[in-house]
Amino acid sequence: MTSRQCKLLPLHLMMLLTATSTAFQVPSKSILHPHTKQQRQPTTLFSTPPPESPSIPNPLTIIAKSQPSTRPPTDPMVGEDAATFDWSNEKWGKLGSADWLTFLAAVGTILTAVAITWIIPSTGYSDDFLHALNGVTGGNPHLITLAYGIIFPLVHSGLASARPYGEKIVGARMWRVIFAFPSLCLAFSWITYFISHCHDGYTFWDLRGNEAVHSIAWITNFLSFFFLYPTVFNLKEVAAVDQPKIHLWETGIIRITRHPQAVGQTMWSAAHLAMVGTTFTALTMALLVAHHAFACWNGDRRLYDEHGQDFLEIKKRTSVLPFAAILDGRQVLPDDYYKELLRAPYLVIAIGTLGAYVAHPFMQAGSAL
């Protein structure tokens, strides 16, 4: 069997993914006076009810079961409460049900398909794709990252824009697979190429050894992921276990910016460029930010097409520029806004971000293979 035949065999894997408080009182039984033996009236500890002290909620309780914030009358809910989660509603289930066992199986299937058909050199096409780009660009790293910066947005945003038409033909779940597979493949190739070549070109600065810059960049990177991944608001939709929808989120991080992914990408790119100031890194970061700037316009267009007037109502109260709507009074944060952020999906982001940081050395080693 030839190497090319080996590469064609695993393509069929793509199709497999289709939480007490009581007021203390003296017992209300009759009490006899020890000298008069007359019956006394029941007494209470307080002649008037004690003032209630504000309770401090248990963060773990809120994370296990999301609590809505207190919305003022001027803030009517027209969209969806983002990142809600209730542990009591979750279960492993069985294969084929819309539960976590099916989710793990679906994610495992698509990642296996990506690994076999794209990543593993003996069976995948990633090396062939890069070889083709090398041939077209003469091996120039700047031109290759430029090619990735054109191809990836065309595929990713193109398939996202074609979603209303594709779902009519193959259904929402299958279209999610069709959309995700090439996006994952191209993202892997571009990321590994960036890691391998981020020091190419002219170097304006290299501050990797500066502890202050490293600390600022680390904090910026960590915070950027809370903006970058609103998709974790419903992980089961990401894996097409639940039917994917175009959600109109309006709480949580959306109150800060209507397009958190664009803001997160800008933060991530600025932090990496601050560490490694080469022409290659500058070009790659500019391409990433430009793609997400386009996605702001394209995202608004798709949300309007799907939700119409409801989207326009939320658009009035939100902004693309972080905190702009809050500062000019269009967005009023609830007094208990923290309830919209102390939610399980944000905890998942924090854990995943820390895991990615720990895995950095392995990523760098792997990209050099």
Side-chain angles (χ1 to χ4, degrees), residues 10-348:
L11 291 175
H12 71 283
L13 289 172
M14 288 176 59
M15 306 304 296
L16 297 178
L17 180 64
T18 0
T20 61
S21 66
T22 57
F24 174 76
Q25 289 184 336
V26 173
S28 58
K29 293 181 179 180
S30 297
I31 302 174
L32 293 177
H33 193 278
H35 299 291
T36 64
K37 296 185 179 180
Q38 293 179 349
Q39 198 174 49
R40 299 180 61 185
Q41 296 298 318
T43 59
T44 60
L45 186 64
F46 299 101
S47 58
T48 58
E52 294 185 2
S53 58
S55 60
I56 301 175
N58 186 332
L60 293 179
T61 300
I62 298 177
I63 290 174
K65 184 176 182 178
S66 301
Q67 298 180 15
S69 62
T70 304
R71 304 172 69 94
T74 56
D75 185 21
M77 173 79 82
V78 298
E80 297 179 69
D81 195 4
T84 56
F85 180 83
D86 189 344
W87 177 263
S88 63
N89 292 336
E90 304 301 328
K91 55 185 178 180
W92 284 110
K94 58 182 180 180
L95 284 176
S97 65
D99 295 305
W100 290 106
L101 186 59
T102 303
F103 168 82
L104 292 176
V107 171
T109 300
I110 188 67
L111 292 181
T112 299
V114 170
I116 298 176
T117 63
W118 192 255
I119 297 176
I120 300 175
S122 61
T123 59
Y125 287 96
S126 179
D127 52 344
D128 300 307
F129 183 74
L130 180 56
H131 180 75
L133 289 181
N134 270 298
V136 173
T137 63
N140 188 307
H142 293 77
L143 294 180
I144 291 176
T145 198
L146 177 61
Y148 277 122
I150 295 172
I151 297 171
F152 180 81
L154 287 175
V155 173
H156 189 75
S157 293
L159 289 175
S161 297
R163 178 177 180 172
Y165 312 102
E167 289 185 343
K168 292 179 181 179
I169 300 173
V170 300
R173 287 185 173 89
M174 180 53 68
W175 187 256
R176 173 55 58 90
V177 178
I178 294 173
F179 163 79
F181 185 81
S183 295
L184 287 171
C185 292
L186 289 170
F188 168 83
S189 293
W190 197 6
I191 291 171
T192 54
Y193 191 80
F194 167 73
I195 294 174
S196 298
H197 296 270
C198 61
H199 301 286
D200 288 357
Y202 182 80
T203 301
F204 294 101
W205 62 82
D206 187 349
L207 302 177
R208 288 174 296 165
N210 188 302
E211 290 296 327
V213 174
H214 179 271
S215 297
I216 295 172
W218 192 95
I219 294 172
T220 303
N221 275 319
F222 182 80
L223 294 176
S224 74
F225 281 89
F226 288 92
F227 291 87
L228 268 169
Y229 291 107
T231 48
V232 301
F233 290 169
N234 194 331
L235 278 174
K236 292 178 182 178
E237 286 188 23
V238 175
V241 174
D242 285 344
Q243 181 161 317
K245 302 174 184 177
I246 299 178
H247 290 276
L248 187 60
W249 308 117
E250 67 161 302
T251 60
I253 208 74
I254 304 300
R255 292 183 183 272
I256 297 175
T257 171
R258 191 170 65 252
H259 289 287
Q261 286 178 296
V263 173
Q265 183 63 70
T266 302
M267 294 170 64
W268 186 92
S269 297
H272 282 74
L273 184 58
M275 293 285 289
V276 182
T278 65
T279 52
F280 178 90
T281 299
L283 176 58
T284 304
M285 299 302 104
L287 291 167
L288 287 168
V289 172
H291 174 215
H292 284 75
F294 165 79
C296 290
W297 171 83
N298 196 39
D300 279 353
R301 180 190 64 80
R302 295 174 61 219
L303 285 170
Y304 176 73
D305 289 345
E306 183 72 17
H307 299 283
Q309 187 62 34
D310 285 346
F311 165 71
L312 295 181
E313 289 297 320
I314 292 178
K315 186 177 181 180
K316 292 177 183 177
R317 304 201 303 264
T318 56
S319 61
V320 177
L321 187 66
F323 300 103
I326 298 173
L327 293 174
D328 64 23
R330 291 183 290 123
Q331 175 67 245
V332 179
L333 298 181
D335 292 337
D336 52 356
Y337 175 58
Y338 66 90
K339 291 181 179 179
E340 297 182 5
L341 300 177
L342 281 179
R343 295 185 174 179
Y346 293 111
L347 178 61
V348 172

Side-chain angles (χ1 to χ4, degrees), residues 344-358:
Y346 293 111
L347 178 61
V348 172
I349 293 173
I351 295 173
T353 303
L354 292 174
Y357 178 75
V358 172

